[in-house]
Amino acid sequence: MDEFIPCNTGMSDDAGSRLKPTPRTNAASAFEESAMMIPIQLPILSPCVGICQLARDGYCEGCLRTGDEIARWVAMGEQERKRLLFEVLPQRDATR
């Protein structure tokens, strides 16, 4: 079964008659299939709220991370980031 391109870029003129869609090439179909298999990397969740200033206690005023935690954030594994987000930072906020 032929696939058709749904926009005007795939139309061809049939000797002055109505424009008809042209079938996709095998290369286009192969490209679409391979594109579907590329894993999508989601952005790294961050507690940063844009108030980036370390307080006297060593914690960021905005997100409550230490300078070391901020510096290592991108290199941290997912489990360590989740632990900080859902355990450590809420505890720091509660005791501040």
Side-chain angles (χ1 to χ4, degrees):
M1 183 171 162
D2 289 338
E3 293 179 29
F4 294 97
I5 299 171
C7 63
N8 289 340
T9 59
M11 302 298 224
S12 62
D13 188 6
D14 188 9
S17 64
R18 287 194 216 165
L19 292 176
K20 296 180 182 177
T22 43
R24 292 183 182 177
T25 64
N26 287 341
S29 295
F31 173 76
E32 287 176 357
E33 289 175 19
S34 67
M36 286 187 231
M37 296 183 341
I38 297 173
I40 297 172
Q41 184 169 352
L42 299 175
I44 296 174
L45 188 61
S46 172
C48 181
V49 294
I51 304 171
C52 306
Q53 186 175 5
L54 290 179
R56 290 182 185 196
D57 60 4
Y59 299 129
C60 174
E61 291 287 343
C63 67
L64 298 177
R65 291 180 292 172
T66 65
D68 181 57
E69 290 165 346
I70 293 167
R72 291 184 315 106
W73 189 258
V74 176
M76 285 182 188
E78 184 179 350
Q79 292 302 324
E80 187 176 7
R81 284 194 303 269
K82 284 182 178 180
R83 189 180 70 75
L84 274 168
L85 279 171
F86 302 115
E87 294 176 29
V88 175
L89 298 178
Q91 288 172 359
R92 285 182 190 162
D93 190 36
T95 60
R96 205 162 196 217

